Amino acid sequence: MRLPWPGNSRRASRQPTSNEIYHTEITADVPVPERNESVRFFSRKVIRPGKLRRFTNRDLRESLLSCFYLGVAAMLPVSSWGPICGWASRLRRKRHFRKEFARYDAAVRAVLGDSVDTRAMFEAQLAAIHRRRLTLSAHLVAGWRWSPAIRLEGLEALQQALRNGHGAIIWCDQFTAQTIMGKRALHEAGVDTHQVSAQYHGFSPSQFGFRVINPPLIKVENRFLKSRIVFERTDAYQVTTRMQKLLKANGVVLMTNTIYAGSAFAEAAMGERGWTHLASAPANFAARAGAALFHMATIETIPFRQYRAIVRELSASPEAPVSPAKDATGKNLVVQAGFILSKRDQMLETLKLCPEQMLAWSSATRLTERPTEPAIGKEGA
């Protein structure tokens, strides 16, 4: 006789596909003649809201990992942290390869080409994800024993944009170090930032995770933020109003490149033959409010020792008119397309530096060709 297990997946209903949860449709194909390519815009509406589970098997693993890494950060020297994360990442490696590697391999090869060693890269990504968890624990208990060096590039351009008085939006990529170390880099440079964040931001999407597992991450992030703008899909108007006020006050807003929280996103070609999906909200706000738009990615150059935070200003197509025609919703899709391609270029450039630290990889095929396939990696920063 088997004992009942919390969050037993056999009792839960079948995991719905993306196509069953959302209704996704193409809203526009916007050509960018000077680049000889186009950007496809989508709208996404929830048709089957998911039910928030009280507890999942993942919550048990996350709780055990949290306790383990708190002990590591409190008692062991920094020099041992990297090897320990590598060891821990090998414990469930076979399962990860069985369930996730096939799509990861196809997506990475589509972007970086067939010569890349995706197996070694996948193993390195698993270790980087564990270093991300230990980074959180280090901020909670390591204290003065841990003082990593963080190099911030592009601060001068950001400061110049703020002198123009229209605020700035920093569009962050989902690298493993971005969640905490990216915010810390800006804070230590004296930049006050406001994070736009989904309500269930963190390691777990369950009720238990929302109350127990995620709060430490949010608490650490909030050390480096001036404020956090928490939203749900149903209150987009309030978020829009608050962001507009912040930008008018010359504030700096952080937004993460994830398409799962918003109701609109875009698709553009990526690398050799791949496709990437980008949130359209940052480009939309920049196009409508006249705020400066920046790309940001934070990478780990030496585990737990050195980090590099890269900030680069994005630009729309120089050929785009100053006041181009807008569509019925008031969104300037021509300028948005330019910003999205500029973001894509910067993301690809950074991705080539350390692809193993990227959390989210899009599908190797266009969304319309395989609409039920989710992206690889959904954790927000």
Side-chain angles (χ1 to χ4, degrees):
M1 177 179 178
R2 292 188 63 178
L3 295 175
W5 185 258
N8 193 328
S9 60
R10 293 187 304 170
R11 284 181 170 269
S13 59
R14 181 179 60 88
Q15 184 71 22
T17 66
S18 176
N19 210 33
E20 292 170 332
I21 298 174
Y22 303 108
H23 172 69
T24 304
E25 61 182 20
I26 301 171
T27 56
D29 277 311
V30 180
V32 184
E34 59 275 10
R35 289 177 175 263
N36 195 29
E37 57 181 315
S38 63
V39 175
R40 176 166 289 178
F41 289 86
F42 292 86
S43 67
R44 170 176 278 172
K45 297 180 181 178
V46 178
I47 56 177
R48 181 185 171 184
K51 184 178 180 180
L52 194 65
R53 296 178 63 182
R54 288 194 296 269
F55 191 86
T56 66
N57 293 342
R58 179 178 177 180
D59 290 337
L60 178 60
R61 293 194 298 270
E62 291 292 346
S63 299
L64 293 174
L65 277 174
S66 297
C67 294
F68 172 70
Y69 282 132
L70 284 171
V72 169
M75 296 184 291
L76 298 182
V78 178
S79 59
S80 68
W81 292 0
I84 287 174
C85 290
W87 169 80
S89 71
R90 292 192 290 271
L91 296 179
R92 302 179 75 243
R93 181 180 292 178
K94 289 184 179 179
R95 183 180 185 278
H96 286 298
F97 267 95
R98 185 177 69 253
K99 287 183 169 291
E100 304 165 19
F101 179 69
R103 285 194 299 114
Y104 179 88
D105 176 71
V108 172
R109 290 181 185 277
V111 174
L112 299 180
D114 294 327
S115 62
V116 66
D117 185 354
T118 53
R119 179 169 289 271
M121 190 183 300
F122 188 68
E123 293 176 354
Q125 187 198 53
L126 295 177
I129 291 173
H130 278 264
R131 293 198 301 271
R132 178 178 182 241
R133 292 185 174 95
L134 182 47
T135 298
L136 169 61
S137 299
H139 278 86
L140 292 172
V141 299
W144 59 270
R145 294 193 307 111
W146 184 54
S147 55
I150 309 174
R151 185 178 69 182
L152 176 60
E153 303 175 7
L155 178 61
E156 298 79 7
L158 178 60
Q159 292 172 334
Q160 178 58 48
L162 293 177
R163 283 193 285 269
N164 295 332
H166 300 294
I169 299 170
I170 300 181
W171 197 351
C172 305
D173 282 336
Q174 293 189 66
F175 286 90
T176 52
Q178 178 64 46
T179 309
I180 295 176
M181 303 308 293
K183 297 176 179 67
R184 179 171 174 173
L186 292 168
H187 175 76
E188 292 182 353
V191 181
D192 292 330
T193 58
H194 309 265
Q195 172 73 51
V196 177
S197 174
Q199 184 179 16
Y200 294 102
H201 168 66
F203 297 111
S204 170
S206 70
Q207 293 181 20
F208 177 82
F210 181 62
R211 294 186 175 94
V212 178
I213 297 175
N214 298 340
L217 173 64
I218 295 172
K219 179 181 178 181
V220 169
E221 288 184 17
N222 286 346
R223 294 182 194 175
F224 311 119
L225 297 173
K226 189 171 183 179
S227 73
R228 181 182 292 273
I229 308 170
V230 181
F231 72 93
E232 294 183 3
R233 285 177 176 270
T234 55
D235 61 359
Y237 176 77
Q238 287 81 356
V239 173
T240 299
T241 301
R242 185 171 177 188
M243 281 193 61
Q244 289 173 338
K245 290 181 179 178
L246 289 173
L247 293 173
K248 286 182 179 179
N250 203 31
V252 179
V253 178
L254 301 179
M255 303 186 77
T256 303
N257 183 41
T258 172
I259 67 171
Y260 297 96
S263 59
F265 62 96
E267 179 184 69
M270 180 78 162
E272 296 287 327
R273 57 182 184 276
W275 299 91
T276 186
H277 300 127
L278 301 165
S280 58
N284 180 30
F285 275 106
R288 296 177 65 180
L293 183 61
F294 288 83
H295 153 87
M296 184 174 188
T298 303
I299 58 178
E300 193 178 34
T301 52
I302 300 178
F304 301 110
R305 299 287 190 181
Q306 293 183 8
Y307 296 84
R308 179 185 176 192
I310 303 169
V311 177
R312 297 283 185 269
E313 187 166 9
L314 303 177
S315 62
S317 169
E319 284 77 14
V322 177
S323 300
K326 298 180 180 180
D327 66 355
T329 61
K331 297 178 181 177
N332 188 332
L333 295 183
V334 175
V335 175
Q336 284 189 54
F339 277 132
I340 286 168
L341 292 181
S342 181
K343 169 67 175 177
R344 185 273 317 272
D345 292 344
Q346 292 291 340
M347 183 170 64
L348 181 59
E349 182 179 337
T350 312
L351 184 64
K352 291 178 179 179
L353 298 176
C354 52
E356 73 282 356
Q357 294 182 31
M358 171 58 78
L359 282 171
W361 289 83
S362 297
S363 172
T365 57
R366 301 208 73 168
L367 184 64
T368 50
E369 296 173 4
R370 191 169 295 180
T372 61
E373 180 180 283
I376 302 172
K378 296 182 181 181
E379 297 184 76

